[in-house]
């Protein structure tokens, strides 16, 4: 496949549909608010933003905590007064004033400051006196350290006093072992004065518009003066969407975060509470999607109804969506294939070389590097969000020609996306072959399934968690992900997998809904029917052997990965749909969490809406008892100042957005983590989900 053209679904194995029903026209993500994602937590609760202020109890706890800190600081200052008088008599007024200034700096220093405060005392030619000063600091100000520097003339020296990098108010970068820090351990990610009865993690709901998760947390972290890695979250949400998800941060006060809401643009935080443990990737059941397809044109409403009914009954093929393979013209799976072959220089070139369809500033930076090989100059031009490119260049600057090391310099979760992209490419092709050969209405001999009940364990193989392969704490450019959790944890941990036998066929224990296919790895088994050959034949075409490694770099070798399994057919849960009409292309057709807060001014929106009987504006995720229906009505939502979706630009009529009456289809569905909502939409419309295709629908 050529890398210069836009990637098509067929390039990555997305080939089939379940139903043979006709599709219809509909524009996906014409506006980012047409795609609303609400996380579903591990208890099955849909996560909503309902309150922007901390509860009164948390405000009181914050005041108590601040009062405690203030008292401790006052006590510290009083204890310093006696020592300061001693120092004044030892070193004089001028140096005493310098020391007071230094201690004041140390007390007010924030955890995010890189510079270490210091002072230089007056020149001193008396070695005995300098020794006395050194000893004074060792005995009285243990959080400060001293050394000697040259004075203004040959006969004198100066004592420099600075904050001990392993001591008081330390940010932990060059610290001594924690046990040497004194009785009160200090954690760089939050306050050291933390009430014992409170959970050490503040959990909050993050609402964001047209921003990826890492970008939003980076902005919040910068405002708080803490690093992005202080936050924990269960899954990365799509950028081109409005989403709400849970986030945890270590030892932070709710009032500090709530105070940011007035300054944040396209981001809000709320629903605060303290918990004992931070969130980890994969700690979610899935996501609730509210998707609005605009500009719907169909032969008749019956066509739409038949397609929606079929999606609800039979589901869709659980393909990895296009975003799994990157948004650029160089797909991640092609880079992954190069890595699996051990072609490090080729992989680096694919990451750095000029590519089609990028903004001018990025294209010029890539072309500049290609022509000049000037790493410093290229880094000055490359935008910071190009994480992989910058990491590779910075490594090549230190280790010229070491292309393997340059690949390893990319944050782990991002660099693993390349090999995972290749695994996904094989899986998609295998899933298409499974449908083409055996259809979607029955399980067949040799299929793989998760075991049920009393199956004979001799015929099974254990499934291990894929977390070692797919998850780590590193951050990465989330534009590579679609609207999934960003993780590929196994659907069931420590579950047994088996090959379907003749006996299973006769008992009817398994249905087509149980069929799974492997993501290649050292600990998976393959189906014993014809589908297994798809994996090996495709890999062979790419000069890759799935059972042997041509190099000894474990993280870029499929044989060093355990592998995993993925369900072939997926049915949407709590699936509902509704037909709407609209005249204004800028009018929101679905309410976001923020719309609801703005509209009611209530801090308990969801509870009030549940009490409202038959309110048609209720979010569909709260109306799971409603029947699947077709209602020709106009959605009543408050208009917000949204910007047009970057990738799919809405056609604008100069001076007015008023158009002839158009139809929209609003869908609500819940999917497990790692399932792509775009693949459900594809089954419905029978058209491509590529950004390039949906751009053409606006023209």
């Amino acid at each position: 496949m050529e890398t210069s053209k836009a990637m098509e679904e067929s390039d990555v194995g997305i080939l089939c549909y379940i139903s043979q029903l006709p599709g219809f026209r509909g524009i996906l993500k014409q506006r980012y608010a047409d795609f609303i994602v609400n996380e579903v937590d591990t208890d099955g609760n849909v996560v909503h933003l309902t309150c922007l202020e901390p509860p009164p109890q948390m405000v009181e706890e914050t005041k108590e905590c601040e009062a405690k800190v203030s008292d401790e600081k006052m006590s510290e200052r009083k204890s310093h007064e006696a020592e300061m008088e001693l120092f004044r008599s030892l070193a004089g007024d001028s140096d005493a004033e310098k020391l007071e200034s230094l201690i004041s700096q140390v007390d007010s220093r924030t955890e995010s400051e890189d510079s270490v405060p210091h002072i230089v005392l007056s020149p001193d030619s008396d070695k005995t006196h300098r020794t006395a000063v050194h000893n004074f600091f060792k005995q009285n100000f243990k959080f400060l350290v001293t050394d000697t520097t040259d004075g203004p003339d040959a006969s004198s020296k100066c004592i420099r006093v600075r904050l001990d990098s392993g001591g008081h108010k330390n940010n932990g970068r060059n610290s001594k072992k924690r046990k040497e820090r004194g009785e009160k351990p200090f954690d760089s990610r939050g306050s050291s004065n933390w009430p014992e009865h409170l959970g050490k993690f503040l959990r909050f709901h993050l609402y964001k518009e047209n921003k990826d998760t890492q970008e939003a947390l980076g902005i919040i972290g910068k405002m708080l003066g803490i690093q992005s890695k202080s936050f924990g979250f269960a899954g990365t949400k799509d950028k081109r969407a409005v989403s709400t998800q849970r986030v945890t941060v270590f030892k932070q006060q709710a009032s500090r975060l709530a105070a940011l809401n007035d300054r944040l643009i396209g981001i809000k935080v709320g629903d605060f509470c303290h918990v004992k443990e931070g969130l980890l990737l994969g700690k979610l059941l899935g996501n609730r999607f509210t998707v609005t397809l605009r500009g719907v044109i169909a032969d008749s409403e019956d066509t739409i109804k038949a397609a929606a009914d079929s999606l609800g009954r039979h589901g869709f093929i659980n393909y990895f969506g296009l975003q799994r393979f990157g948004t650029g013209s160089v797909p991640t799976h092609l880079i992954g294939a190069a890595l699996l072959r051990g072609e490090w220089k080729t992989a680096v070139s694919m990451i750095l070389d000029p590519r089609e369809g990028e903004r001018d500033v990025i294209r010029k930076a890539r072309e500049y590097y290609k022509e000049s090989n000037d790493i410093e100059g290229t880094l000055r031009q490359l935008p910071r969000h190009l994480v992989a490119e910058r990491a590779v260049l910075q490594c090549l600057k230190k280790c010229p020609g070491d292309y393997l090391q340059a690949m390893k310099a990319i944050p782990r979760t991002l660099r693993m996306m390349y090999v995972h992209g290749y695994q996904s490419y094989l899986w998609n092709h295998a899933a298409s072959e499974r449908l083409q050969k055996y259809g979607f209405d029955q399980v067949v001999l040799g299929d793989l399934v998760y075991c049920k009940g009393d199956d004979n364990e001799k015929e099974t193989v254990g499934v291990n968690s894929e977390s070692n392969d797919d998850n780590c704490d590193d951050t990465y450019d989330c534009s590579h992900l679609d609207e999934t959790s960003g993780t590929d944890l196994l659907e069931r941990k420590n579950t047994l997998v088996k090959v379907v036998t003749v006996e299973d066929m006769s008992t009817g224990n398994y249905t087509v809904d149980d069929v799974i296919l492997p993501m290649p790895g050292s600990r998976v088994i393959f189906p014993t029917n014809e589908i297994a050959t798809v994996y090996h034949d495709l890999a062979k075409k790419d000069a890759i052997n799935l059972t042997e490694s041509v190099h000894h770099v474990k993280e870029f070798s499929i044989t060093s990965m355990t592998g995993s399994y993925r369900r072939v057919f997926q049915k949407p849960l709590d699936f509902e749909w509704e037909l709407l009409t609209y005249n204004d292309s800028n009018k929101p057709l679905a309410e976001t969490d923020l719309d609801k807060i703005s509209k009611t001014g209530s801090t308990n929106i969801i509870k009030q809406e549940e009490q409202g009987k038959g309110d048609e504006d209720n979010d569909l995720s709260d109306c799971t008892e409603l029947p699947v229906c077709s209602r020709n009505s106009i959605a009543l939502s408050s208009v917000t100042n949204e910007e047009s979706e970057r990738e799919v630009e809405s056609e604008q009529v100069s001076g007015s957005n008023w158009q002839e009456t158009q139809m929209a289809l609003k869908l609500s569905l819940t999917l497990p983590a790692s399932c792509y909502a775009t693949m459900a939409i594809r089954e419905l419309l029978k058209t491509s989900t590529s950004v390039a295709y949906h751009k053409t629908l606006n023209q």
Side-chain angles (χ1 to χ4, degrees):
M1 165 186 152
E2 296 177 12
T3 59
S4 60
K5 69 182 181 70
M7 186 168 51
E8 300 291 338
E9 289 179 339
S10 58
D11 296 327
V12 291
I14 303 171
L15 305 171
C16 302
Y17 300 103
I18 286 183
S19 84
Q20 299 305 308
L21 292 167
F24 52 92
R25 182 190 191 272
I27 307 171
L28 177 64
K29 296 187 182 182
Q30 187 175 48
R31 310 183 59 77
Y32 62 79
D34 290 342
F35 205 90
I36 300 172
V37 188
N38 290 83
E39 188 169 271
V40 179
D41 68 20
T42 48
D43 295 323
N45 302 311
V46 179
V47 175
H48 286 282
L49 184 75
T50 67
C51 175
L52 298 176
E53 297 298 327
Q57 184 185 348
M58 291 184 82
V59 175
E60 287 303 313
E61 286 166 346
T62 301
K63 287 178 181 174
E64 286 174 20
C65 191
E66 288 171 350
K68 182 182 174 188
V69 172
S70 178
D71 290 346
E72 287 185 7
K73 281 188 176 178
M74 187 65 72
S75 173
E76 238 177 57
R77 286 195 190 99
K78 284 180 180 175
S79 68
H80 290 334
E81 286 175 9
E83 285 94 343
M84 284 303 307
E85 285 309 309
L86 284 172
F87 184 72
R88 193 178 297 277
S89 61
L90 177 66
D93 289 342
S94 174
D95 285 346
E97 285 173 14
K98 288 181 184 177
L99 181 57
E100 280 178 340
S101 173
L102 175 64
I103 291 172
S104 176
Q105 264 185 279
V106 168
D107 284 340
S108 62
R109 184 170 180 259
T110 66
E111 294 142 22
S112 60
E113 287 179 40
D114 289 325
S115 59
V116 178
H118 73 278
I119 56 169
V120 177
L121 301 181
S122 304
D124 190 348
S125 56
D126 185 345
K127 187 178 180 181
T128 307
H129 184 259
R130 292 200 305 269
T131 302
V133 173
H134 285 303
N135 289 335
F136 172 84
F137 281 100
K138 284 178 186 175
Q139 292 165 12
N140 298 287
F141 292 106
K142 293 181 181 178
F143 59 89
L144 299 173
V145 290
T146 58
D147 58 9
T148 306
T149 62
D150 289 333
D153 53 66
S155 63
S156 68
K157 300 281 184 182
C158 293
I159 291 176
R160 182 175 59 175
V161 185
R162 59 187 168 82
L163 174 65
D164 184 357
S165 62
H168 186 75
K169 285 274 180 183
N170 172 48
N171 65 4
R173 274 190 188 81
N174 302 305
S175 62
K176 298 176 183 178
K177 290 178 182 176
R178 287 181 184 275
K179 63 184 180 184
E180 295 174 4
R181 291 184 180 175
E183 291 179 11
K184 284 189 179 179
F186 181 82
D187 192 292
S188 65
R189 296 174 299 171
S191 167
S192 57
N193 303 283
W194 197 257
E196 289 181 13
H197 67 283
L198 280 186
K200 292 186 178 179
F201 292 87
L202 175 68
R203 191 178 74 199
F204 61 95
H205 292 177
L206 169 68
Y207 169 96
K208 59 183 184 62
E209 300 176 349
N210 204 29
K211 290 180 176 59
D212 63 49
T213 303
Q214 287 289 359
E215 181 186 358
L217 293 179
I219 292 167
I220 293 169
K222 193 171 183 180
M223 287 182 168
L224 291 174
I226 60 175
Q227 293 180 323
S228 295
K229 64 184 179 184
S230 300
F231 297 99
F233 53 91
T236 301
K237 307 303 174 207
D238 190 40
K239 174 179 179 175
R240 298 178 302 282
V242 173
S243 67
T244 306
Q245 67 187 109
R246 297 170 305 154
V247 177
T248 54
V249 61
F250 190 75
K251 286 186 177 179
Q252 289 292 330
Q253 301 290 356
S255 54
R256 285 195 73 202
L257 269 81
L260 302 180
N261 279 323
D262 290 339
R263 296 159 55 200
L264 289 166
I265 299 170
I267 303 169
K268 293 291 179 221
V269 292
D271 297 87
F272 304 98
C273 68
H274 287 290
V275 293
K276 291 180 180 177
E277 294 180 356
L279 280 167
L280 298 172
L281 280 173
K283 294 291 183 184
L284 77 168
L285 282 187
N287 296 290
R288 179 76 177 167
F289 298 96
T290 305
V291 181
T292 306
L293 298 169
R294 291 181 185 253
V296 169
I297 300 174
D299 295 340
S300 68
E301 285 189 24
D302 287 343
T303 300
I304 298 170
K305 186 178 188 305
D309 285 348
S310 176
L311 179 61
R313 277 202 317 275
H314 303 297
F316 57 96
I317 306 166
N318 195 20
Y319 288 125
F320 289 97
L322 280 176
Q323 281 84 345
R324 174 71 167 191
F325 305 94
T327 53
S329 61
V330 181
T332 55
H333 74 281
L334 292 187
I335 299 171
L339 293 173
L340 291 169
R341 290 191 295 265
E343 297 171 359
W344 318 126
K345 186 175 181 179
T346 300
V348 166
S349 294
M350 291 171 97
I351 289 169
L352 294 179
D353 281 357
R355 51 180 71 176
E356 293 292 317
E358 287 189 312
R359 298 200 320 270
D360 278 354
V361 64
I362 301 171
R363 178 181 54 77
K364 286 175 182 173
R366 291 188 189 279
E367 288 172 353
Y368 175 78
Y369 178 69
K370 187 89 171 170
E371 293 163 8
S372 69
N373 215 32
D374 174 12
I375 293 176
E376 281 281 5
T378 307
L379 283 169
R380 280 195 293 272
Q381 296 178 48
L382 266 185
R384 295 212 166 267
H385 74 268
L386 295 177
V387 178
E389 287 84 346
R390 294 185 65 85
V392 164
L393 286 170
Q394 282 161 349
C395 183
L396 288 176
K397 180 179 157 189
K398 293 177 189 171
C399 316
D402 193 341
Y403 298 104
L404 171 58
Q405 205 56 43
M407 288 303 306
K408 286 185 171 182
I410 298 169
R412 185 178 184 275
T413 311
L414 176 52
R415 68 178 182 260
M416 294 310 296
M417 286 293 289
Y418 302 129
V419 175
H420 293 155
Y422 190 75
Q423 288 174 302
S424 305
Y425 164 79
L426 295 180
W427 190 97
N428 277 359
H429 278 284
S432 290
E433 186 75 4
R434 169 63 180 76
L435 195 90
Q436 287 168 346
K437 269 198 166 31
Y438 304 121
F440 69 90
D441 54 359
Q442 61 182 349
V443 66
V444 299
L445 200 63
D447 274 337
L448 295 182
V449 292
Y450 289 121
C451 288
K452 288 182 183 176
D454 302 322
D455 282 319
N456 185 350
E457 290 193 14
K458 289 180 182 176
E459 300 171 358
T460 63
V461 61
V463 179
N464 292 313
S465 167
E466 192 69 0
S467 57
N468 289 338
D469 290 347
D470 285 344
N471 297 306
C472 81
D473 294 329
D474 290 320
T475 60
Y476 53 93
D477 176 8
C478 302
S479 64
H480 287 267
L481 296 174
D482 193 15
E483 66 288 349
T484 70
S485 70
T487 63
D488 289 315
L489 290 177
L490 292 178
E491 294 177 57
R492 308 178 190 180
K493 292 185 181 179
N494 304 317
T495 308
L496 295 172
V497 167
K498 64 167 287 172
V499 177
V500 171
T501 63
V502 175
E503 185 185 348
D504 295 320
M505 300 284 291
S506 63
T507 59
N509 276 349
Y510 296 97
T511 69
V512 74
D513 293 335
D514 298 312
V515 176
I516 57 177
L517 282 171
M519 293 275 281
S522 61
R523 296 187 194 174
V524 298
I525 58 172
F526 288 87
T528 57
N529 51 36
E530 294 179 50
I531 308 308
T533 60
V534 177
Y535 290 94
H536 300 289
D537 290 350
L538 262 180
K540 191 176 179 181
K541 283 182 184 175
D542 293 322
I544 292 166
N545 189 322
L546 296 179
T547 56
E548 294 175 17
S549 179
V550 295
H551 55 72
H552 302 292
V553 183
K554 285 188 175 182
E555 65 183 295
F556 299 140
S557 166
I558 279 186
T559 56
S560 299
M561 296 181 175
T562 58
S564 63
Y565 298 92
R566 181 176 178 88
R567 200 175 293 281
V568 177
F569 303 105
Q570 180 65 52
K571 289 180 182 173
L573 309 171
D574 299 329
F575 176 51
E576 294 139 13
W577 61 276
E578 179 183 6
L579 276 173
L580 312 169
T581 56
Y582 66 98
N583 299 96
D584 185 351
S585 62
N586 272 348
K587 185 181 181 63
L589 299 178
E591 277 193 322
T592 67
D593 288 349
L594 194 59
D595 289 336
K596 294 175 186 177
I597 290 176
S598 303
K599 186 176 174 182
T600 66
S602 168
T603 58
N604 201 5
I605 311 301
I606 303 304
K607 192 172 287 185
Q608 285 191 8
E609 287 191 348
E610 285 172 351
Q611 291 166 357
K613 295 178 182 177
D615 181 0
E616 282 197 337
D617 286 334
N618 277 357
D619 181 41
L620 290 174
S621 61
D622 293 323
C623 308
T624 53
E625 298 304 313
L626 286 178
V628 174
C629 59
S630 170
R631 294 194 296 268
N632 286 313
S633 60
I634 298 174
L636 302 172
S637 301
S638 57
V639 177
T640 57
N641 293 322
E642 299 166 311
E643 66 188 74
S644 290
E645 171 55 47
R646 286 181 192 173
E647 279 84 353
V648 186
E649 295 173 354
S650 180
E651 185 177 330
Q652 300 292 320
V653 179
S654 179
S656 172
N657 293 306
W658 192 262
Q659 305 160 346
E660 289 183 16
T661 300
Q662 295 193 66
M663 195 184 300
L665 176 63
K666 186 162 76 169
L667 309 157
S668 268
L669 62 156
T670 299
L671 295 175
S674 190
C675 290
Y676 288 71
T678 49
M679 292 299 99
I681 305 301
R682 175 183 177 274
E683 176 68 32
L684 197 68
L685 299 179
K686 300 294 190 296
T687 54
S688 171
T689 58
S690 75
V691 168
Y693 173 74
H694 282 269
K695 272 185 182 178
T696 66
L697 299 183
N698 286 285
Q699 295 166 1

